[in-house]
Amino acid sequence: MQRPLILASTSRYRRELLNRLHLPFDVQPPDVDETALDGETPRELAERLALEKARAVAARFPEAVVIGSDQVADLAGEALGKPGDHARATAQLRRMRGQTLVFQTAVAVVCQATGFVQRDLAPVRVVFRELSDAAIEQYLQAEQPYDCAGSAKSEGLGIALLSAIDSDDPTALVGLPLIRTCRMLRAAGVELL
């Protein structure tokens, strides 16, 4: 019998991605403080939070296989979070125009009952075009990506803001690297096909 599968996330984007695997799963909020630690790099922050989210939910559901994920937009070593509102999104996109960012997307799979713990990182290099203030405003009015790290949705109109995406796990930029997730789920004993 397959163990229950839980996504430790409140992200609708991660839920939509995990649905692609055609597996039954539950969603539970991880209730983890996402504040960066002093001196923590964006990569370290994403990796720590993915694991903390998975462990927090696994502690409540020890028999389940739990997936945790986190993404941090990395602009030259500075973590850019979710903007939350129009003014912050405008400021983020102005800073990012013409810049290369790395979206540090981490995933962790934990099963407390079996002691299974794996974590991986799927960095995505993204080059933003030189964007006019008018283009930024038009984009934000159309898509309102205030709940996305880096203020842009590549799966929507945000693709028009970019000149290049470099990744070996195509869903990582949306928030859950499914290639890595599938590998870890198989290692945890979850049958995918």
Side-chain angles (χ1 to χ4, degrees):
M1 184 171 128
Q2 189 145 283
R3 292 184 177 279
L5 181 63
I6 299 177
L7 177 62
S9 179
T10 56
S11 165
R12 64 185 170 106
Y13 308 107
R14 290 189 181 105
R15 182 180 310 175
E16 289 168 7
L17 288 169
L18 192 56
N19 271 325
R20 292 183 186 185
L21 300 182
H22 296 263
L23 293 170
F25 68 93
D26 189 17
V27 177
Q28 292 291 327
D31 299 323
V32 168
D33 180 359
E34 297 191 25
T35 306
L37 302 175
D38 287 342
E40 194 170 38
T41 67
R43 175 187 177 143
E44 292 166 344
L45 175 61
E47 289 179 323
R48 177 179 60 81
L49 290 178
L51 187 57
E52 282 186 9
K53 289 174 182 181
R55 283 185 167 153
V57 172
R60 298 193 321 255
F61 301 91
E63 295 298 322
V65 174
V66 181
I67 302 166
S69 187
D70 195 76
Q71 182 180 73
V72 178
D74 181 345
L75 177 60
E78 179 186 347
L80 302 180
K82 297 172 186 170
D85 63 34
H86 187 83
R88 286 191 203 98
T90 300
Q92 275 190 357
L93 288 173
R94 284 178 178 165
R95 287 188 63 208
M96 294 175 350
R97 58 182 157 202
Q99 300 294 314
T100 299
L101 280 81
V102 177
F103 284 79
Q104 306 284 3
T105 307
V107 61
V109 174
V110 172
C111 181
Q112 190 167 305
T114 64
F116 183 87
V117 177
Q118 281 191 8
R119 175 178 68 181
D120 204 352
L121 184 77
V124 181
R125 188 178 152 276
V126 176
V127 182
F128 279 78
R129 295 187 313 85
E130 285 291 344
L131 304 168
S132 67
D133 287 348
I136 290 170
E137 183 62 23
Q138 183 180 4
Y139 170 69
L140 291 176
Q141 289 297 327
E143 208 153 64
Q144 301 181 5
Y146 310 135
D147 61 344
C148 297
S151 305
K153 293 183 193 177
S154 66
E155 67 275 22
L157 181 59
I159 199 72
L161 305 176
L162 310 178
S163 61
I165 297 173
D166 182 27
S167 174
D168 66 356
D169 204 331
T171 59
L173 189 54
V174 183
L176 183 63
L178 286 179
I179 292 172
R180 285 166 174 80
T181 301
C182 287
R183 185 184 72 238
M184 287 188 269
L185 288 176
R186 283 190 298 270
V190 175
E191 290 185 29
L192 296 169
L193 293 173

